Amino acid sequence: MSSSSKMLGEEHPSISQTVSSVTDLPIPSQKAARDNQQKTSAKTPPLLRRPSRIKHRPQDDIEVQSLLQGDDTLRQDLEDANVAYLEKLSLLMKPPSVRLTGLPVEVQEGVLDHLAGHLIGITPASAGTSSGSRNWSTAMRHPRRKQLSDLALVSKTWRALIQERLYRHIKVKGTYAGFAECSFWFIKHPHLRPHVRHFEVWMPVWEVKTSRRRTDIPPIPSAFTPRPDLRNRANRGALVVVQEISDMTQAFQQASHNVTLDDIFRHTQDLFPEAYALTIEGGHGKRTPLIKAHPTLADETALQYPLFLGNTSNNMLTVNPNIGSLVLKGAWNIIREPSDFYILKTALPNLREYHCTYAKPKIQAYAAMCCIMKYFPSSINHLNICLEGLTSKPSSTPEKWRNLYAEYHICNDLGRQLPNLETFSYTGRICCSLFRNAIEVARKSRDTSNLQSVDLIVRNCCRPGSSGYNDATGIYQIDFINAFKKLVIDAVRALSVFTSLQYLRIRFLDLDSPNPLLNPYFHLQGNKVTGIWNDDILSLLRAARPNAEYEGLDFADCSGKRANGFVDHILGGLVPLPRGGRPKSMNVDAYAALAEARI
């Protein structure tokens, strides 16, 4: 044994000796242990005592087991209650079986209508407006935001519904490159073609010259560019601006890569057989050329276009039997003669709705429209014509219009076609001959007219038979006010003939009027009437529509004053002006006093 172990054994006793000494100690009896426990519990406070353990007795388990075995009914009830609880718990934890994609398609369409706008019908009966006419620029156009287009990723059903809205109205540039891109896209995705119901083509008027590059155009000098010579700075700046404008105008030319009308009709028929509305925007500008019906052999660009398959020997266009609505914007570049219209009508045998808008007033456009109205097809039931845009510049001299009325008076021709229409909207020159001819034709016809809506925007009233011809307009021109009054009187007289007419609005719009709230107007919608009145208008209105009433006018008091007296009056109370808006009823005799006061 080593010295270290010896030293450890000397200082400390061995482990065997310790264990033997512990085992030799006397073990206390159970009685002594119980006595010690009682003494300890007596000395310890009650709050610090440990709770006594409940002694487990096997006989208790035997008694419970015997109780369950003896009562089978209680055991079955407990098992049934446990099974019912588990079933309810599983139903609560189970995901719902009906999800958004599991709803009916009508409900899902209602959700999309709330997000992306209502999906209106394509027929004129579903226009949803009081006048019955529709604005094709926004009728089928839905928002194309990224958030809405991403909804197509929700499910297959939503994909079809979203694509139906996104491609319901498409607009394509009327060039060969634009048509080629459109053809490539829809040929690559043929499932999108049935969604297109409104096809719009806009024709560019100007284009950049191909011989000039963008770098050839001189840059616009900065206002902070230092100049070495500051003398005559104003004159030098004017010369620079004139030079820049001339350079910019020389960099553009008239568009030479535009498609023809036959290309548009062939493209529509081949790619969009389900399209109902066709819009052609011809544009407007000074000395713009007429859009060609067919490409010529000298047009090299047209020969490169793959859809050029038509025959140039005749002037017929590709027939589109499904097109029911034709919208022409900037019509001066599309229709300048009656033959231009009949070429379009021949290619659209089922046309029911025709919109034609001229950007600027032209005497030639009036003459062409007069000839068209003489042989207007009876299949068209909805007509919207705008011969004068809302411009403040006078159209032509009175002498030119006087010469026009001798041969072409559009009011007579429009009046003869009015009984065959359902809705009629017009902007331009108009007079009382419109309703006089309509009444005459309707009384001679055996068929009942279905005319429901008439909306007229009066730019001027034609006065061909008046001596000392005055073509001026405005609230201070008594000749114009008298012509407008005759127009309203004949319109009210026509209500007794056209019994289905429920919407009639005649209004004069003057952008340069000193008081726009006093511009004359007449508005009938149902049995509510607002606008100008006099004794003749009131008597004719009582005979034609006994239930119709003017708003804010007591028929027993024709002085124009209100019973409540909260409005101001002009010129002796003839024109009541409500606060915050135009008057609901105006006596037409007040304009004579206004004209005299102006003089």
Side-chain angles (χ1 to χ4, degrees):
M1 182 178 298
S2 61
S3 60
S4 59
S5 59
K6 290 181 180 180
M7 294 175 63
L8 184 60
E10 293 175 356
E11 294 178 0
H12 301 282
S14 62
I15 298 175
S16 58
Q17 295 176 359
T18 306
V19 173
S20 60
S21 62
V22 171
T23 54
D24 295 340
L25 292 176
I27 300 174
S29 61
Q30 295 181 358
K31 183 177 180 180
R34 192 180 302 112
D35 295 340
N36 294 333
Q37 185 177 3
Q38 291 178 357
K39 293 179 181 179
T40 306
S41 59
K43 295 179 181 179
T44 306
L47 295 177
L48 299 179
R49 295 176 186 173
R50 296 179 61 183
S52 59
R53 295 182 179 180
I54 299 175
K55 188 176 183 179
H56 177 71
R57 297 186 303 174
Q59 60 271 19
D60 296 339
D61 297 339
I62 296 174
E63 291 178 359
V64 174
Q65 185 177 3
S66 62
L67 180 60
L68 292 177
Q69 291 178 355
D71 194 353
D72 296 337
T73 305
L74 180 59
R75 181 177 58 190
Q76 188 66 28
D77 293 341
L78 292 176
E79 292 179 357
D80 294 342
N82 190 16
V83 171
Y85 174 75
L86 293 177
E87 289 179 355
K88 292 182 179 180
L89 186 61
S90 62
L91 291 176
L92 293 176
M93 298 179 63
K94 185 178 180 181
S97 58
V98 180
R99 299 183 179 180
L100 179 61
T101 56
L103 295 175
V105 181
E106 294 78 6
V107 179
Q108 300 186 44
E109 288 182 352
V111 175
L112 291 180
D113 289 342
H114 178 73
L115 297 175
H118 293 277
L119 192 66
I120 63 174
I122 60 176
T123 58
S126 60
T129 58
S130 56
S131 61
S133 61
R134 121 185 14 246
N135 184 9
W136 282 105
S137 300
T138 58
M140 296 186 181
R141 184 175 292 276
H142 295 269
R144 291 174 170 84
R145 297 190 300 270
K146 178 65 176 176
Q147 294 82 355
L148 294 178
S149 61
D150 289 343
L151 295 177
L153 305 176
V154 174
S155 63
K156 294 183 178 180
T157 304
W158 279 48
R159 179 183 180 183
L161 296 177
I162 290 295
Q163 289 177 349
E164 184 180 7
R165 286 164 171 79
L166 294 179
Y167 290 93
R168 194 172 180 83
H169 177 193
I170 63 173
K171 189 174 182 178
V172 180
K173 187 177 182 180
T175 59
Y176 294 109
F179 269 44
E181 183 180 1
C182 178
S183 302
F184 177 77
W185 175 261
F186 284 98
I187 290 175
K188 186 178 179 181
H189 305 86
H191 64 282
L192 301 176
R193 294 161 58 184
H195 296 324
V196 179
R197 309 307 299 273
H198 183 193
F199 181 51
E200 182 174 358
V201 180
W202 67 278
M203 312 293 290
V205 179
W206 307 102
E207 66 180 7
V208 180
K209 290 184 179 179
T210 56
S211 59
R212 294 177 61 94
R213 297 180 180 180
R214 187 176 181 87
T215 56
D216 297 337
I217 302 176
I220 300 176
S222 174
F224 301 98
T225 303
R227 294 186 176 91
D229 188 6
L230 299 180
R231 292 174 298 178
N232 300 328
R233 181 171 55 183
N235 296 333
R236 290 177 180 271
L239 293 176
V240 170
V241 172
V242 171
Q243 183 179 0
E244 291 174 1
I245 294 176
S246 62
D247 292 339
M248 293 295 292
T249 55
Q250 292 177 3
F252 292 90
Q253 64 182 3
Q254 290 184 353
S256 60
H257 296 80
N258 292 353
V259 297
T260 62
L261 294 178
D262 188 64
D263 294 332
I264 297 175
F265 278 66
R266 186 180 298 275
H267 190 87
T268 305
Q269 177 62 21
D270 294 343
L271 288 182
F272 313 119
E274 300 296 331
Y276 177 83
L278 174 63
T279 298
I280 304 176
E281 186 175 352
H284 62 275
K286 292 184 178 180
R287 296 183 295 275
T288 54
L290 184 68
I291 298 177
K292 301 176 183 179
H294 291 277
T296 59
L297 296 177
D299 193 353
E300 299 179 357
T301 308
L303 294 176
Q304 299 175 2
Y305 186 57
L307 295 182
F308 173 53
L309 301 174
N311 186 10
T312 58
S313 60
N314 55 14
N315 215 14
M316 295 292 100
L317 302 178
T318 304
V319 179
N320 286 256
N322 293 331
I323 297 296
S325 178
L326 177 63
V327 182
L328 302 180
K329 300 178 181 179
W332 178 247
N333 296 337
I334 305 174
I335 297 178
R336 297 183 182 180
E337 297 180 358
S339 58
D340 299 332
F341 170 77
Y342 291 111
I343 291 175
L344 298 174
K345 179 60 183 68
T346 306
L348 305 173
N350 298 323
L351 188 64
R352 294 188 54 204
E353 189 173 356
Y354 178 61
H355 300 251
C356 183
T357 303
Y358 288 85
K360 296 181 179 180
K362 294 181 178 294
I363 294 179
Q364 296 82 357
Y366 273 90
M369 193 59 63
C370 287
C371 298
I372 292 173
M373 288 295 115
K374 293 181 184 296
Y375 306 98
F376 196 71
S378 59
S379 60
I380 298 179
N381 301 325
H382 305 271
L383 181 61
N384 186 353
I385 299 176
C386 177
L387 294 178
E388 293 189 23
L390 298 180
T391 58
S392 59
K393 183 180 179 181
S395 56
S396 299
T397 59
E399 289 77 12
K400 293 184 178 180
W401 291 105
R402 187 184 305 173
N403 298 332
L404 176 69
Y405 293 143
E407 186 178 359
Y408 303 102
H409 193 187
I410 193 172
C411 303
N412 298 331
D413 300 318
L414 286 175
R416 298 186 184 99
Q417 299 296 332
L418 195 60
N420 300 327
L421 303 175
E422 295 182 9
T423 61
F424 175 65
S425 300
Y426 177 81
T427 302
R429 292 174 174 257
I430 202 69
C431 67
C432 58
S433 300
L434 171 71
F435 292 101
R436 290 180 181 179
N437 287 273
I439 293 173
E440 183 181 356
V441 173
R443 287 177 177 175
K444 293 181 180 180
S445 178
R446 297 180 181 179
D447 299 332
T448 303
S449 176
N450 295 324
L451 185 63
Q452 302 174 5
S453 171
V454 174
D455 190 1
L456 304 179
I457 299 179
V458 180
R459 299 293 293 160
N460 201 340
C461 288
C462 41
R463 291 152 268 175
S466 60
S467 59
Y469 187 78
N470 182 14
D471 197 57
T473 60
I475 60 177
Y476 300 114
Q477 301 295 329
I478 191 61
D479 293 338
F480 169 76
I481 295 298
N482 291 333
F484 190 90
K485 179 179 64 176
K486 293 179 181 179
L487 174 63
V488 175
I489 290 176
D490 288 326
V492 176
R493 184 180 288 111
L495 293 176
S496 59
V497 179
F498 301 99
T499 56
S500 60
L501 183 59
Q502 298 295 325
Y503 185 88
L504 175 61
R505 183 170 63 170
I506 306 172
R507 48 181 174 159
F508 169 67
L509 296 182
D510 186 9
L511 300 180
D512 299 328
S513 176
N515 193 345
L517 295 179
L518 293 180
N519 288 339
Y521 75 99
F522 179 84
H523 188 192
L524 167 69
Q525 184 173 356
N527 292 325
K528 296 182 180 180
V529 187
T530 56
I532 64 172
W533 61 271
N534 62 2
D535 294 338
D536 296 336
I537 296 176
L538 293 179
S539 60
L540 291 173
L541 187 62
R542 291 194 192 98
R545 303 291 170 88
N547 297 328
E549 295 181 356
Y550 268 85
E551 293 186 8
L553 176 65
D554 187 4
F555 283 95
D557 182 14
C558 296
S559 63
K561 297 181 180 180
R562 307 272 184 119
N564 48 20
F566 68 93
V567 296
D568 299 328
H569 299 277
I570 294 180
L571 300 176
L574 292 176
V575 182
L577 291 178
R579 297 176 181 176
R582 65 179 181 178
K584 296 294 184 181
S585 59
M586 299 182 295
N587 194 335
V588 73
D589 297 333
Y591 290 98
L594 287 175
E596 294 177 359
R598 179 67 179 269
I599 295 174

